[in-house]
Amino acid sequence: MKSLDFTGKGELINRLSSQVGGKKKAISILQKRGHLMSDGKTFTPQGEKRDSMSAADRAIDRTAKRLKKSPEDLEFDKFSNTAKRVYKI
Protein backbone atom coordinates (compact mmCIF):
# COMPACT_ATOMS: atom_id res chain seq x y z
CA MET A 1 0.00 0.00 0.00
CA LYS A 2 1.22 3.43 -0.93
CA SER A 3 0.01 6.56 0.79
CA LEU A 4 -1.29 7.75 -2.60
CA ASP A 5 -3.91 4.99 -2.31
CA PHE A 6 -5.68 6.69 0.59
CA THR A 7 -6.19 10.32 -0.39
CA GLY A 8 -9.96 10.60 -0.02
CA LYS A 9 -12.16 11.67 2.85
CA GLY A 10 -12.59 9.16 5.67
CA GLU A 11 -9.12 7.64 5.09
CA LEU A 12 -7.18 9.26 7.95
CA ILE A 13 -6.23 6.02 9.74
CA ASN A 14 -5.49 4.10 6.53
CA ARG A 15 -3.38 6.90 5.08
CA LEU A 16 -1.35 7.39 8.25
CA SER A 17 -0.96 3.60 8.57
CA SER A 18 0.56 3.43 5.10
CA GLN A 19 2.86 6.35 5.89
CA VAL A 20 4.20 5.08 9.23
CA GLY A 21 4.22 1.36 8.49
CA GLY A 22 1.36 -0.02 10.57
CA LYS A 23 -2.10 0.49 11.96
CA LYS A 24 -1.06 0.19 15.64
CA LYS A 25 1.52 2.94 15.22
CA ALA A 26 -0.96 5.15 13.36
CA ILE A 27 -3.56 4.69 16.11
CA SER A 28 -0.99 5.58 18.77
CA ILE A 29 -0.02 8.76 16.88
CA LEU A 30 -3.66 9.80 16.45
CA GLN A 31 -4.36 9.19 20.14
CA LYS A 32 -1.37 11.35 21.13
CA ARG A 33 -2.58 14.12 18.81
CA GLY A 34 -6.03 13.97 20.41
CA HIS A 35 -7.76 12.77 17.24
CA LEU A 36 -8.71 9.29 18.50
CA MET A 37 -10.22 8.08 21.78
CA SER A 38 -8.41 5.57 23.99
CA ASP A 39 -10.45 2.70 22.49
CA GLY A 40 -8.55 3.22 19.24
CA LYS A 41 -11.74 3.26 17.17
CA THR A 42 -13.71 6.39 18.03
CA PHE A 43 -12.68 9.78 16.71
CA THR A 44 -12.73 12.83 18.96
CA PRO A 45 -14.54 15.89 17.55
CA GLN A 46 -11.19 17.18 16.28
CA GLY A 47 -10.44 13.74 14.78
CA GLU A 48 -13.84 13.62 13.07
CA LYS A 49 -13.08 16.98 11.49
CA ARG A 50 -9.67 15.77 10.22
CA ASP A 51 -11.11 12.44 9.01
CA SER A 52 -13.79 14.26 7.03
CA MET A 53 -11.03 16.05 5.10
CA SER A 54 -9.14 14.61 2.15
CA ALA A 55 -5.34 14.40 2.21
CA ALA A 56 -5.25 17.56 0.12
CA ASP A 57 -7.59 19.37 2.52
CA ARG A 58 -5.43 18.40 5.52
CA ALA A 59 -2.19 19.49 3.82
CA ILE A 60 -3.70 22.80 2.78
CA ASP A 61 -5.10 23.32 6.29
CA ARG A 62 -1.69 22.61 7.91
CA THR A 63 0.13 24.95 5.55
CA ALA A 64 -2.49 27.71 5.77
CA LYS A 65 -2.18 27.72 9.57
CA ARG A 66 1.63 27.66 9.45
CA LEU A 67 1.93 30.45 6.86
CA LYS A 68 -1.11 32.36 8.11
CA LYS A 69 -2.49 32.39 4.57
CA SER A 70 -5.89 31.70 3.08
CA PRO A 71 -6.43 28.12 1.85
CA GLU A 72 -7.38 29.62 -1.52
CA ASP A 73 -3.76 30.81 -1.88
CA LEU A 74 -2.43 27.25 -1.70
CA GLU A 75 -2.18 24.24 -4.00
CA PHE A 76 -1.73 20.58 -3.02
CA ASP A 77 1.18 18.47 -4.28
CA LYS A 78 0.09 14.84 -3.93
CA PHE A 79 3.61 13.47 -4.40
CA SER A 80 5.13 15.40 -1.50
CA ASN A 81 1.91 15.53 0.56
CA THR A 82 2.38 19.26 1.00
CA ALA A 83 0.64 22.43 -0.02
CA LYS A 84 2.50 25.23 -1.73
CA ARG A 85 1.70 28.85 -2.19
CA VAL A 86 0.23 29.82 -5.53
CA TYR A 87 1.26 33.20 -6.84
CA LYS A 88 -1.50 34.76 -8.91
CA ILE A 89 -0.68 37.37 -11.50
Side-chain angles (χ1 to χ4, degrees):
M1 281 184 266
K2 294 175 275 177
S3 59
L4 291 176
D5 295 338
F6 304 107
T7 58
K9 296 177 181 186
E11 296 282 0
L12 184 61
I13 294 174
N14 292 332
R15 181 159 173 92
L16 187 57
S17 296
S18 71
Q19 290 173 327
V20 300
K23 196 168 187 172
K24 278 187 173 184
K25 191 170 184 179
I27 288 171
S28 175
I29 290 168
L30 292 171
Q31 287 171 327
K32 287 177 187 171
R33 287 182 185 166
H35 294 163
L36 206 55
M37 299 287 211
S38 60
D39 66 6
K41 297 177 184 177
T42 310
F43 284 108
T44 63
Q46 183 183 12
E48 285 179 13
K49 180 181 173 193
R50 300 301 286 181
D51 190 49
S52 71
M53 301 168 126
S54 67
D57 295 336
R58 288 190 300 274
I60 289 171
D61 185 60
R62 283 191 306 270
T63 305
K65 287 177 184 174
R66 184 172 48 84
L67 298 178
K68 296 178 175 72
K69 296 289 179 189
S70 170
E72 290 80 31
D73 295 335
L74 303 168
E75 184 176 272
F76 179 64
D77 179 348
K78 69 180 179 179
F79 297 105
S80 66
N81 191 36
T82 60
K84 297 180 176 150
R85 193 163 175 204
V86 176
Y87 295 93
K88 297 174 186 169
I89 299 174

Coordinates of all heavy atoms in Angstrom, one line a residue:
M1 N 0.8 -1.2 0.0 CA 0.0 0.0 0.0 C 0.9 1.2 0.0 O 1.8 1.4 0.8 CB -0.9 0.0 1.2 CG -2.1 -0.8 1.2 SD -3.1 -0.6 2.6 CE -2.5 -2.0 3.6
K2 N 0.5 2.1 -0.9 CA 1.2 3.4 -0.9 C 0.3 4.5 -0.4 O -0.9 4.3 -0.4 CB 1.6 3.8 -2.4 CG 2.6 2.9 -3.0 CD 2.8 3.2 -4.4 CE 1.7 2.5 -5.2 NZ 1.6 2.7 -6.6
S3 N 0.8 5.5 0.2 CA 0.0 6.6 0.8 C -0.9 7.3 -0.3 O -1.9 7.9 0.1 CB 0.8 7.6 1.6 OG 1.8 8.2 0.7
L4 N -0.5 7.2 -1.5 CA -1.3 7.8 -2.6 C -2.6 7.0 -2.8 O -3.5 7.5 -3.4 CB -0.5 7.8 -3.9 CG 0.6 8.7 -4.0 CD1 1.4 8.6 -5.3 CD2 0.2 10.2 -3.8
D5 N -2.7 5.8 -2.2 CA -3.9 5.0 -2.3 C -5.0 5.5 -1.4 O -6.2 5.2 -1.6 CB -3.6 3.5 -1.9 CG -2.7 2.8 -2.9 OD1 -2.6 3.3 -4.1 OD2 -2.1 1.8 -2.5
F6 N -4.7 6.3 -0.4 CA -5.7 6.7 0.6 C -5.7 8.2 0.7 O -5.4 8.8 1.7 CB -5.3 6.1 2.0 CG -5.2 4.6 2.0 CD1 -4.0 4.0 2.1 CD2 -6.4 3.8 1.8 CE1 -3.9 2.6 2.1 CE2 -6.3 2.5 1.8 CZ -5.1 1.8 2.0
T7 N -6.2 8.9 -0.4 CA -6.2 10.3 -0.4 C -7.6 10.9 -0.2 O -7.7 12.1 0.0 CB -5.6 10.8 -1.7 OG1 -6.4 10.3 -2.8 CG2 -4.2 10.4 -1.9
G8 N -8.6 10.1 -0.1 CA -10.0 10.6 0.0 C -10.4 10.9 1.4 O -9.6 10.7 2.4
K9 N -11.6 11.4 1.5 CA -12.2 11.7 2.8 C -12.4 10.4 3.6 O -12.8 9.4 2.9 CB -13.4 12.5 2.7 CG -13.2 13.8 2.1 CD -14.4 14.6 1.8 CE -14.1 16.0 1.2 NZ -15.2 16.8 1.1
G10 N -12.3 10.4 4.9 CA -12.6 9.2 5.7 C -11.5 8.1 5.6 O -11.6 7.0 6.0
E11 N -10.3 8.5 5.2 CA -9.1 7.6 5.1 C -8.0 8.0 6.0 O -6.8 7.6 5.8 CB -8.6 7.7 3.6 CG -9.6 7.1 2.6 CD -9.6 5.6 2.6 OE1 -8.9 5.0 3.4 OE2 -10.4 5.1 1.8
L12 N -8.2 8.8 7.1 CA -7.2 9.3 7.9 C -6.3 8.1 8.5 O -5.1 8.1 8.4 CB -7.8 10.1 9.1 CG -6.8 10.8 10.0 CD1 -5.9 11.7 9.3 CD2 -7.5 11.5 11.1
I13 N -7.0 7.1 9.1 CA -6.2 6.0 9.7 C -5.5 5.2 8.7 O -4.3 4.9 8.8 CB -7.2 5.1 10.6 CG1 -7.7 5.9 11.8 CG2 -6.4 3.9 11.0 CD1 -8.7 5.1 12.6
N14 N -6.1 4.9 7.6 CA -5.5 4.1 6.5 C -4.3 4.8 5.9 O -3.3 4.2 5.7 CB -6.5 3.7 5.4 CG -7.5 2.8 5.9 OD1 -7.3 2.0 6.8 ND2 -8.7 2.8 5.3
R15 N -4.5 6.1 5.7 CA -3.4 6.9 5.1 C -2.2 7.0 6.0 O -1.1 6.7 5.6 CB -3.8 8.3 4.7 CG -2.7 9.1 4.1 CD -3.3 10.3 3.3 NE -2.2 11.1 2.8 CZ -1.6 11.0 1.6 NH1 -2.0 10.0 0.8 NH2 -0.7 11.9 1.2
L16 N -2.4 7.3 7.3 CA -1.4 7.4 8.3 C -0.7 6.0 8.4 O 0.5 5.9 8.5 CB -1.8 8.0 9.6 CG -0.8 8.3 10.6 CD1 0.3 9.2 10.1 CD2 -1.4 8.8 11.9
S17 N -1.5 5.0 8.4 CA -1.0 3.6 8.6 C 0.0 3.3 7.4 O 1.1 2.7 7.7 CB -2.1 2.6 8.5 OG -2.9 2.7 9.6
S18 N -0.3 3.7 6.2 CA 0.6 3.4 5.1 C 1.8 4.3 5.2 O 2.9 3.9 4.7 CB -0.2 3.6 3.8 OG -0.4 5.0 3.5
Q19 N 1.7 5.5 5.8 CA 2.9 6.4 5.9 C 3.8 5.9 7.0 O 5.0 6.1 6.8 CB 2.4 7.8 6.1 CG 1.7 8.4 4.9 CD 1.1 9.8 5.3 OE1 0.7 10.0 6.4 NE2 1.1 10.6 4.3
V20 N 3.3 5.4 8.1 CA 4.2 5.1 9.2 C 4.5 3.6 9.3 O 5.3 3.2 10.2 CB 3.6 5.6 10.6 CG1 3.5 7.1 10.5 CG2 2.3 4.9 10.9
G21 N 3.9 2.8 8.5 CA 4.2 1.4 8.5 C 3.4 0.4 9.3 O 3.7 -0.7 9.5
G22 N 2.2 0.9 9.8 CA 1.4 0.0 10.6 C 0.2 0.7 11.2 O 0.3 1.9 11.6
K23 N -0.9 -0.1 11.4 CA -2.1 0.5 12.0 C -1.9 0.8 13.4 O -2.4 1.8 13.9 CB -3.3 -0.5 11.7 CG -4.6 0.2 12.0 CD -5.7 -0.7 11.5 CE -7.0 0.0 11.5 NZ -8.1 -0.7 10.9
K24 N -1.2 -0.1 14.2 CA -1.1 0.2 15.6 C -0.3 1.5 15.9 O -0.7 2.3 16.7 CB -0.3 -1.0 16.3 CG -1.1 -2.1 16.7 CD -0.3 -3.1 17.4 CE -1.1 -4.3 18.0 NZ -0.4 -5.2 18.8
K25 N 0.7 1.7 15.1 CA 1.5 2.9 15.2 C 0.7 4.2 14.9 O 0.7 5.2 15.5 CB 2.8 2.9 14.3 CG 3.8 3.9 14.6 CD 5.1 3.7 13.9 CE 6.1 4.7 14.2 NZ 7.4 4.5 13.6
A26 N -0.1 4.0 13.8 CA -1.0 5.1 13.4 C -2.0 5.5 14.4 O -2.2 6.7 14.8 CB -1.7 4.8 12.1
I27 N -2.6 4.5 15.0 CA -3.6 4.7 16.1 C -2.9 5.4 17.3 O -3.5 6.3 17.9 CB -4.2 3.4 16.5 CG1 -5.2 2.9 15.4 CG2 -5.0 3.5 17.9 CD1 -5.8 1.5 15.6
S28 N -1.7 5.0 17.7 CA -1.0 5.6 18.8 C -0.7 7.1 18.5 O -0.9 7.9 19.4 CB 0.3 4.8 19.0 OG 1.1 5.5 20.0
I29 N -0.3 7.4 17.3 CA 0.0 8.8 16.9 C -1.3 9.6 17.0 O -1.3 10.7 17.5 CB 0.6 8.8 15.5 CG1 2.0 8.3 15.5 CG2 0.6 10.3 14.9 CD1 2.6 8.0 14.1
L30 N -2.4 9.1 16.4 CA -3.7 9.8 16.4 C -4.2 10.0 17.9 O -4.8 11.0 18.2 CB -4.7 9.1 15.6 CG -4.4 9.1 14.1 CD1 -5.4 8.2 13.3 CD2 -4.5 10.5 13.5
Q31 N -4.0 9.0 18.7 CA -4.4 9.2 20.1 C -3.5 10.3 20.8 O -4.1 11.1 21.5 CB -4.2 7.9 20.9 CG -5.3 6.9 20.5 CD -5.0 5.5 21.1 OE1 -3.9 5.1 21.3 NE2 -6.1 4.8 21.4
K32 N -2.2 10.3 20.5 CA -1.4 11.3 21.1 C -1.7 12.7 20.6 O -1.6 13.7 21.4 CB 0.1 11.0 20.8 CG 0.6 9.9 21.6 CD 2.1 9.6 21.2 CE 2.5 8.3 21.9 NZ 3.8 7.8 21.4
R33 N -2.2 12.8 19.4 CA -2.6 14.1 18.8 C -4.0 14.6 19.3 O -4.4 15.7 19.1 CB -2.7 14.0 17.3 CG -1.3 13.9 16.6 CD -1.6 13.9 15.1 NE -0.3 13.7 14.4 CZ -0.2 13.4 13.1 NH1 -1.3 13.1 12.4 NH2 0.9 13.2 12.6
G34 N -4.7 13.6 19.9 CA -6.0 14.0 20.4 C -7.1 13.8 19.3 O -8.2 14.3 19.5
H35 N -6.8 13.0 18.3 CA -7.8 12.8 17.2 C -8.5 11.5 17.4 O -9.6 11.3 16.7 CB -7.0 12.7 15.9 CG -6.4 14.0 15.5 ND1 -5.5 14.1 14.5 CD2 -6.6 15.3 16.0 CE1 -5.1 15.4 14.4 NE2 -5.8 16.1 15.3
L36 N -8.1 10.6 18.3 CA -8.7 9.3 18.5 C -8.8 9.0 20.0 O -7.9 9.3 20.8 CB -7.8 8.2 17.8 CG -8.4 6.9 17.3 CD1 -9.6 7.2 16.4 CD2 -7.4 6.1 16.6
M37 N -10.0 8.4 20.4 CA -10.2 8.1 21.8 C -9.3 6.9 22.2 O -8.7 6.2 21.3 CB -11.7 7.7 22.0 CG -12.6 8.8 21.6 SD -12.6 10.1 22.9 CE -14.3 10.6 22.8
S38 N -9.3 6.6 23.5 CA -8.4 5.6 24.0 C -8.8 4.2 23.5 O -8.0 3.3 23.5 CB -8.4 5.6 25.5 OG -9.7 5.4 26.0
D39 N -10.1 4.0 23.0 CA -10.5 2.7 22.5 C -9.8 2.4 21.1 O -9.9 1.3 20.6 CB -12.0 2.6 22.4 CG -12.6 3.5 21.4 OD1 -11.9 4.2 20.7 OD2 -13.9 3.5 21.4
G40 N -9.2 3.4 20.5 CA -8.5 3.2 19.2 C -9.5 3.1 18.0 O -9.0 2.9 16.9
K41 N -10.8 3.4 18.3 CA -11.7 3.3 17.2 C -12.6 4.5 17.0 O -13.0 4.8 15.9 CB -12.7 2.1 17.4 CG -12.0 0.8 17.5 CD -12.9 -0.4 17.8 CE -12.2 -1.7 18.0 NZ -13.1 -2.8 18.3
T42 N -12.8 5.3 18.1 CA -13.7 6.4 18.0 C -12.9 7.7 17.9 O -12.0 8.0 18.7 CB -14.5 6.4 19.3 OG1 -15.1 5.2 19.6 CG2 -15.6 7.5 19.2
F43 N -13.3 8.5 16.9 CA -12.7 9.8 16.7 C -13.2 10.8 17.7 O -14.4 10.8 18.1 CB -13.0 10.3 15.3 CG -12.2 9.7 14.2 CD1 -12.8 8.8 13.3 CD2 -10.8 9.9 14.1 CE1 -12.0 8.2 12.3 CE2 -10.0 9.3 13.1 CZ -10.7 8.5 12.2
T44 N -12.3 11.7 18.2 CA -12.7 12.8 19.0 C -13.4 13.8 18.0 O -13.2 13.7 16.8 CB -11.5 13.5 19.6 OG1 -10.6 14.0 18.6 CG2 -10.8 12.5 20.5
P45 N -14.0 14.9 18.5 CA -14.5 15.9 17.5 C -13.5 16.4 16.6 O -13.7 16.6 15.4 CB -15.1 17.0 18.5 CG -15.5 16.2 19.7 CD -14.4 15.2 19.9
Q46 N -12.3 16.7 17.1 CA -11.2 17.2 16.3 C -10.8 16.1 15.3 O -10.5 16.4 14.1 CB -10.0 17.5 17.1 CG -8.8 18.1 16.4 CD -7.6 18.4 17.2 OE1 -7.5 18.0 18.4 NE2 -6.7 19.2 16.7
G47 N -10.8 14.8 15.7 CA -10.4 13.7 14.8 C -11.5 13.6 13.7 O -11.2 13.3 12.5
E48 N -12.8 13.7 14.1 CA -13.8 13.6 13.1 C -13.7 14.7 12.0 O -13.9 14.4 10.8 CB -15.2 13.8 13.7 CG -15.6 12.5 14.5 CD -17.0 12.7 15.2 OE1 -17.7 13.7 14.9 OE2 -17.3 11.9 16.0
K49 N -13.3 15.9 12.4 CA -13.1 17.0 11.5 C -11.9 16.6 10.5 O -12.1 16.8 9.3 CB -12.8 18.3 12.2 CG -12.5 19.5 11.4 CD -12.2 20.7 12.2 CE -11.8 21.8 11.2 NZ -11.2 22.9 11.9
R50 N -10.8 16.1 11.1 CA -9.7 15.8 10.2 C -10.0 14.6 9.3 O -9.6 14.6 8.1 CB -8.4 15.4 11.1 CG -7.9 16.5 12.0 CD -7.6 17.8 11.3 NE -6.3 17.7 10.6 CZ -5.7 18.6 9.9 NH1 -6.3 19.8 9.9 NH2 -4.6 18.5 9.3
D51 N -10.8 13.6 9.8 CA -11.1 12.4 9.0 C -12.1 12.8 7.9 O -12.1 12.2 6.8 CB -11.7 11.4 9.9 CG -11.9 10.0 9.2 OD1 -10.9 9.6 8.5 OD2 -13.0 9.4 9.2
S52 N -12.8 13.9 8.1 CA -13.8 14.3 7.0 C -13.1 15.0 5.9 O -13.7 15.4 4.9 CB -14.9 15.1 7.6 OG -14.5 16.4 8.0
M53 N -11.8 15.3 6.1 CA -11.0 16.1 5.1 C -10.2 15.1 4.2 O -9.9 14.0 4.7 CB -10.0 17.0 5.8 CG -10.6 18.0 6.7 SD -9.2 18.8 7.6 CE -9.5 20.5 7.2
S54 N -10.0 15.4 3.0 CA -9.1 14.6 2.1 C -7.7 14.9 2.5 O -7.4 15.9 3.3 CB -9.4 14.9 0.7 OG -9.0 16.3 0.4
A55 N -6.8 14.1 2.0 CA -5.3 14.4 2.2 C -5.0 15.8 1.8 O -4.2 16.5 2.4 CB -4.5 13.4 1.5
A56 N -5.5 16.2 0.6 CA -5.2 17.6 0.1 C -5.8 18.6 1.1 O -5.1 19.6 1.4 CB -5.9 17.7 -1.3
D57 N -7.0 18.4 1.6 CA -7.6 19.4 2.5 C -6.7 19.5 3.8 O -6.5 20.6 4.3 CB -9.0 18.9 2.9 CG -10.0 19.0 1.8 OD1 -9.8 19.7 0.8 OD2 -11.0 18.2 1.9
R58 N -6.2 18.4 4.3 CA -5.4 18.4 5.5 C -4.1 19.1 5.3 O -3.7 19.9 6.1 CB -5.2 17.0 6.1 CG -6.4 16.4 6.7 CD -6.1 15.1 7.4 NE -5.5 14.0 6.6 CZ -6.2 13.2 5.8 NH1 -7.5 13.2 5.8 NH2 -5.6 12.2 5.1
A59 N -3.5 18.8 4.1 CA -2.2 19.5 3.8 C -2.4 21.0 3.7 O -1.6 21.8 4.2 CB -1.6 18.9 2.6
I60 N -3.4 21.4 3.0 CA -3.7 22.8 2.8 C -4.0 23.5 4.1 O -3.5 24.6 4.4 CB -4.8 23.0 1.8 CG1 -4.3 22.7 0.4 CG2 -5.4 24.4 1.8 CD1 -5.4 22.6 -0.7
D61 N -4.8 22.8 5.0 CA -5.1 23.3 6.3 C -3.8 23.5 7.1 O -3.7 24.6 7.8 CB -6.1 22.4 7.0 CG -6.6 22.9 8.3 OD1 -7.2 24.0 8.3 OD2 -6.3 22.2 9.3
R62 N -2.9 22.5 7.1 CA -1.7 22.6 7.9 C -0.9 23.8 7.4 O -0.4 24.6 8.2 CB -0.8 21.3 7.7 CG -1.3 20.1 8.5 CD -0.2 19.0 8.4 NE 0.2 18.7 7.1 CZ -0.4 17.7 6.4 NH1 -1.4 17.0 6.9 NH2 0.1 17.4 5.2
T63 N -0.7 23.9 6.1 CA 0.1 25.0 5.6 C -0.5 26.3 5.7 O 0.2 27.3 6.1 CB 0.4 24.7 4.1 OG1 1.0 23.4 4.0 CG2 1.4 25.7 3.5
A64 N -1.8 26.4 5.6 CA -2.5 27.7 5.8 C -2.3 28.2 7.2 O -2.0 29.4 7.4 CB -4.0 27.6 5.4
K65 N -2.4 27.3 8.2 CA -2.2 27.7 9.6 C -0.7 28.1 9.8 O -0.5 29.1 10.5 CB -2.5 26.6 10.5 CG -4.0 26.3 10.6 CD -4.3 25.1 11.5 CE -5.8 24.8 11.5 NZ -6.1 23.6 12.3
R66 N 0.2 27.4 9.3 CA 1.6 27.7 9.5 C 2.0 29.0 8.8 O 2.8 29.8 9.4 CB 2.5 26.5 8.9 CG 4.0 26.7 9.1 CD 4.8 25.4 8.7 NE 4.5 24.9 7.4 CZ 5.0 25.3 6.3 NH1 5.8 26.3 6.3 NH2 4.6 24.8 5.1
L67 N 1.6 29.2 7.6 CA 1.9 30.5 6.9 C 1.0 31.6 7.1 O 1.3 32.7 6.7 CB 1.9 30.2 5.4 CG 2.9 29.2 4.8 CD1 2.8 29.0 3.3 CD2 4.4 29.6 5.2
K68 N -0.1 31.3 7.9 CA -1.1 32.4 8.1 C -1.6 32.9 6.8 O -1.7 34.2 6.6 CB -0.6 33.5 9.0 CG -0.2 33.0 10.4 CD 0.4 34.1 11.3 CE 0.6 33.6 12.7 NZ 1.7 32.7 12.9
K69 N -2.0 32.0 5.9 CA -2.5 32.4 4.6 C -3.9 31.8 4.4 O -4.3 30.8 5.1 CB -1.6 31.9 3.4 CG -0.2 32.5 3.4 CD -0.2 33.9 3.0 CE 1.1 34.5 3.0 NZ 1.1 36.0 2.8
S70 N -4.6 32.3 3.4 CA -5.9 31.7 3.1 C -5.7 30.4 2.3 O -4.8 30.3 1.5 CB -6.6 32.7 2.2 OG -7.8 32.1 1.7
P71 N -6.5 29.4 2.6 CA -6.4 28.1 1.9 C -6.5 28.3 0.3 O -6.0 27.5 -0.4 CB -7.6 27.3 2.4 CG -7.9 27.8 3.7 CD -7.5 29.3 3.6
E72 N -7.2 29.4 -0.1 CA -7.4 29.6 -1.5 C -6.1 30.0 -2.2 O -5.9 29.9 -3.4 CB -8.4 30.7 -1.8 CG -9.8 30.3 -1.5 CD -10.2 30.3 0.0 OE1 -9.6 31.2 0.7 OE2 -11.0 29.5 0.4
D73 N -5.1 30.4 -1.4 CA -3.8 30.8 -1.9 C -2.8 29.6 -2.0 O -1.6 29.8 -2.4 CB -3.1 31.9 -1.0 CG -3.9 33.2 -0.9 OD1 -4.6 33.5 -1.9 OD2 -3.7 33.9 0.1
L74 N -3.3 28.4 -1.7 CA -2.4 27.2 -1.7 C -2.9 26.2 -2.7 O -4.1 26.1 -3.0 CB -2.4 26.7 -0.3 CG -2.0 27.6 0.8 CD1 -2.2 27.1 2.2 CD2 -0.5 28.0 0.6
E75 N -1.9 25.3 -3.1 CA -2.2 24.2 -4.0 C -1.5 23.0 -3.4 O -0.4 23.0 -2.9 CB -1.5 24.6 -5.3 CG -1.8 23.7 -6.5 CD -1.1 24.3 -7.7 OE1 -1.8 25.1 -8.4 OE2 0.0 24.0 -8.0
F76 N -2.2 21.8 -3.6 CA -1.7 20.6 -3.0 C -0.8 19.9 -4.0 O -1.1 19.8 -5.2 CB -2.9 19.7 -2.7 CG -2.6 18.3 -2.1 CD1 -1.9 18.2 -0.9 CD2 -2.9 17.2 -2.8 CE1 -1.6 17.0 -0.4 CE2 -2.6 15.9 -2.3 CZ -1.9 15.8 -1.1
D77 N 0.3 19.3 -3.5 CA 1.2 18.5 -4.3 C 1.1 17.1 -3.7 O 1.6 16.8 -2.6 CB 2.6 19.0 -4.2 CG 3.6 18.1 -4.9 OD1 3.3 17.0 -5.4 OD2 4.8 18.6 -5.1
K78 N 0.4 16.2 -4.5 CA 0.1 14.8 -3.9 C 1.3 14.0 -3.8 O 1.3 13.0 -3.0 CB -1.0 14.1 -4.8 CG -0.5 13.7 -6.2 CD -1.6 13.0 -6.9 CE -1.2 12.7 -8.3 NZ -2.3 12.0 -9.0
F79 N 2.4 14.3 -4.5 CA 3.6 13.5 -4.4 C 4.4 13.8 -3.2 O 5.1 12.9 -2.6 CB 4.4 13.6 -5.7 CG 3.7 13.1 -6.9 CD1 3.2 14.0 -7.8 CD2 3.5 11.7 -7.1 CE1 2.5 13.5 -8.9 CE2 2.8 11.2 -8.1 CZ 2.3 12.1 -9.1
S80 N 4.4 15.0 -2.7 CA 5.1 15.4 -1.5 C 4.2 15.5 -0.3 O 4.7 15.8 0.8 CB 5.9 16.7 -1.7 OG 5.0 17.8 -1.9
N81 N 2.9 15.4 -0.5 CA 1.9 15.5 0.6 C 2.0 16.9 1.3 O 1.9 17.0 2.5 CB 2.0 14.4 1.6 CG 0.8 14.4 2.5 OD1 -0.3 14.6 2.1 ND2 1.1 14.0 3.8
T82 N 2.3 17.9 0.5 CA 2.4 19.3 1.0 C 1.6 20.2 0.2 O 1.2 19.9 -1.0 CB 3.8 19.8 1.0 OG1 4.3 19.8 -0.4 CG2 4.7 18.9 1.9
A83 N 1.3 21.4 0.7 CA 0.6 22.4 0.0 C 1.7 23.5 -0.2 O 2.5 23.8 0.6 CB -0.6 22.9 0.8
K84 N 1.6 24.2 -1.4 CA 2.5 25.2 -1.7 C 1.7 26.5 -2.1 O 0.6 26.4 -2.6 CB 3.4 24.8 -2.9 CG 4.3 23.6 -2.5 CD 5.1 23.2 -3.6 CE 6.0 22.1 -3.0 NZ 6.4 21.1 -3.8
R85 N 2.3 27.6 -1.9 CA 1.7 28.9 -2.2 C 1.6 29.0 -3.7 O 2.5 28.8 -4.4 CB 2.5 30.0 -1.6 CG 1.7 31.3 -1.6 CD 2.4 32.2 -0.6 NE 1.7 33.5 -0.8 CZ 2.2 34.7 -0.4 NH1 3.4 34.7 0.1 NH2 1.5 35.8 -0.6
V86 N 0.5 29.5 -4.1 CA 0.2 29.8 -5.5 C 0.3 31.3 -5.7 O -0.4 32.1 -5.0 CB -1.1 29.3 -6.0 CG1 -1.4 29.7 -7.4 CG2 -1.2 27.8 -5.8
Y87 N 1.1 31.8 -6.6 CA 1.3 33.2 -6.8 C 0.4 33.5 -8.0 O 0.6 33.0 -9.1 CB 2.7 33.6 -7.1 CG 3.6 33.4 -5.8 CD1 4.3 32.2 -5.6 CD2 3.6 34.4 -4.9 CE1 5.0 32.1 -4.5 CE2 4.3 34.2 -3.7 CZ 5.0 33.1 -3.5 OH 5.8 32.9 -2.4
K88 N -0.6 34.4 -7.8 CA -1.5 34.8 -8.9 C -1.1 36.1 -9.5 O -0.7 37.0 -8.8 CB -2.9 34.9 -8.4 CG -3.4 33.5 -7.8 CD -4.7 33.7 -7.2 CE -5.1 32.3 -6.5 NZ -6.2 32.4 -5.7
I89 N -1.1 36.1 -10.8 CA -0.7 37.4 -11.5 C -1.9 38.1 -12.0 O -2.9 37.7 -12.3 CB 0.2 37.0 -12.7 CG1 1.5 36.3 -12.2 CG2 0.6 38.3 -13.5 CD1 2.3 35.8 -13.3

